Amino acid sequence: MESVEAEPAVASALFGHQIELARRYTSNLVTRGEELGLIGPLELPRIWTRHILNSVLVAPLLRPGLVGDVGSGAGLPGLVLAIARPDVEFVLIEPMERRVDWLRDQAAELDLENVTVVRARAEEVRLDRPLGQVTARAVTALSKLIPMTAPLLIHEGEMVFLKGARVADEVTAAARQIKKAHLRDVEIIELGAGVLPEITRVFRATVD
């Protein structure tokens, strides 16, 4: 088994008074994540910096209301953001039963009253009310993600997607989908410079 990354000093500053919940979730993910197929063994030496803290950097971009996380998987970023922002209501959308069970178990164990888990594909999900914002991490390219999530948002709703180093290329390739979804204020935000070894890149846009 790979050695598990020690908690970086900056974690407590990023999570504030929610740090104990973040530690419990991370411990659970380390203990059971590989067995459940949620993370690979090579992720353990960078579990905090590459996954937990990479996700929590997005927390300040969220606003009170209903936020959907598409393809939640292990809970990155959905559960991490729900821990960091108890003032925000989250619906975690995930199609795979095993992952849905994990998400529900963690929400219950961590007593996250601001989390609802829905088993569905994003393009087929039926929500009781539209989302104010939608997040996603490592799901699919923007050209597919934008048409998949735009119908879930309210007017003036916002997409907040964690993306990789080639996000600018994805934006270019998704020009048609951006126009068709009537997105405005399209931007790429870089978070965590000087805080984490890797920059967190976020695609943000508003549905006009």
Side-chain angles (χ1 to χ4, degrees), residues 7-180:
E7 178 189 322
V10 72
S12 58
L14 293 173
F15 279 99
H17 66 281
Q18 296 293 93
I19 185 61
E20 285 301 332
L21 277 183
R23 286 169 179 155
R24 284 171 55 192
Y25 165 67
T26 305
S27 175
N28 292 343
L29 190 56
V30 165
T31 304
R32 297 176 54 205
E34 188 182 348
E35 163 203 344
L36 294 173
L38 301 170
I39 55 170
L42 297 180
E43 302 310 311
L44 296 180
R46 54 187 185 179
I47 190 73
W48 277 99
T49 49
R50 181 76 182 272
H51 299 288
I52 306 300
L53 301 186
N54 168 265
S55 295
V56 77
L57 285 173
V58 177
L61 302 181
L62 302 183
R63 52 201 187 207
L66 185 62
V67 174
D69 182 44
V70 168
S72 287
L76 304 163
L79 282 178
V80 172
L81 294 173
I83 289 168
R85 291 293 303 271
D87 60 320
V88 177
E89 189 180 348
F90 291 86
V91 55
L92 310 187
I93 302 163
E94 167 60 47
M96 287 186 61
E97 184 176 11
R98 184 178 70 246
R99 293 174 178 174
V100 166
D101 290 344
W102 159 262
L103 293 168
R104 287 177 175 154
D105 286 349
Q106 291 305 297
E109 183 180 328
L110 302 172
D111 200 22
L112 297 176
E113 296 181 356
N114 60 332
V115 171
T116 302
V117 182
V118 175
R119 184 182 178 191
R121 292 161 57 86
E123 55 269 46
E124 298 166 356
V125 70
R126 296 291 177 265
L127 301 174
D128 293 337
R129 55 194 171 105
L131 304 170
Q133 290 174 298
V134 62
T135 63
R137 179 180 187 264
V139 173
T140 189
L142 288 174
S143 58
K144 294 180 181 178
L145 195 55
I146 289 168
M148 187 188 296
T149 55
L152 305 177
L153 288 161
I154 59 172
H155 175 64
E156 300 285 310
E158 200 172 62
M159 297 175 182
V160 185
F161 301 142
L162 286 86
K163 300 300 295 183
R166 298 178 62 85
V167 60
D169 293 340
E170 285 193 38
V171 171
T172 301
R176 188 168 61 87
Q177 290 81 7
I178 288 171
K179 184 177 180 180
K180 189 174 181 181

